[in-house]
Amino acid sequence: MGMEDDTHLVERKTSGEEILKGHFLHAFRDQVLLPNGQQATREYVVHPGAVMVIPLLDDGSGELKLVLERQYRYPVGRVMIEFPAGKLDAGESVQRCAERELLEETGYSAGAWARAGVMHPVISYSTEFIDIWFARDLQLGERKLDEGEFLDVFTATPAEFLQWCQQGLVTDAKTLAGALWVQNVLQGTWPLEWAAPLPA
């Protein structure tokens, strides 16, 4: 893809209203002008952004493991297999958020970090982005779950994890995107640039 002129695709806001401001969700309804001059309505959720961490664990067995979680997700009524993740606090950098979420949810801190990329999980109705990070040289400490947060932490080999994705046992969008990164990083197709954690 080159630097095409996208003006024939762009929708322009003509008016808008707030329709919900909850503790977590902030929803809007906008009127937009379509490229053909017609009017349309767009409803969407404003989200502060989030991070997902793909933790690579060398547990001494000689086989690399991935650190994963099992967590009940109320909207879908299921326990989901996911990589550790969480939303950004106000003013927080994405790496600081990644380091915080990994420690809080799993108890692990990492000696090396690499930013993989960014994904937009629900582009049709949310501004949400998820920054994807890899973590390695893990040291286990004490996790610090948020009030009301319940999850199990476990490990799996990359082969096991990818098989669960293929079998439909993993259906979470960010974790499936993580599977693409795991596959390509471990094959050496998508190299990462590793760096130290941020100073405390």
Side-chain angles (χ1 to χ4, degrees), residues 72-143:
Y72 182 78
R73 294 298 193 174
Y74 182 83
V76 293
R78 286 180 52 192
V79 172
M80 306 292 277
I81 296 172
E82 306 174 49
F83 282 119
K87 70 180 180 65
L88 288 160
D89 288 341
E92 186 178 39
S93 74
V94 287
Q95 183 173 348
R96 182 71 72 198
C97 181
E99 294 178 13
R100 176 180 58 77
E101 287 292 345
L102 179 64
L103 180 62
E104 287 178 358
E105 293 189 355
T106 71
Y108 284 105
S109 55
W113 289 87
R115 183 180 182 271
V118 66
M119 65 171 287
H120 293 91
V122 283
I123 55 175
S124 59
Y125 64 86
S126 178
T127 65
E128 182 179 4
F129 68 88
I130 300 176
D131 228 56
I132 304 169
W133 287 78
F134 277 75
R136 70 180 188 196
D137 304 337
L138 303 183
Q139 296 293 323
L140 184 59
E142 184 178 347
R143 64 182 186 162

Side-chain angles (χ1 to χ4, degrees), residues 36-100:
N36 65 0
Q38 299 295 311
Q39 291 276 340
T41 301
R42 298 288 181 255
E43 294 180 350
Y44 60 98
V45 174
V46 172
H47 189 284
V51 299
M52 176 179 72
V53 182
I54 301 173
L56 307 177
L57 177 64
D58 178 0
D59 62 3
S61 67
E63 189 169 23
L64 183 73
K65 301 282 179 59
L66 302 170
V67 179
L68 294 154
E69 299 174 352
R70 295 179 69 252
Q71 185 173 8
Y72 182 78
R73 294 298 193 174
Y74 182 83
V76 293
R78 286 180 52 192
V79 172
M80 306 292 277
I81 296 172
E82 306 174 49
F83 282 119
K87 70 180 180 65
L88 288 160
D89 288 341
E92 186 178 39
S93 74
V94 287
Q95 183 173 348
R96 182 71 72 198
C97 181
E99 294 178 13
R100 176 180 58 77

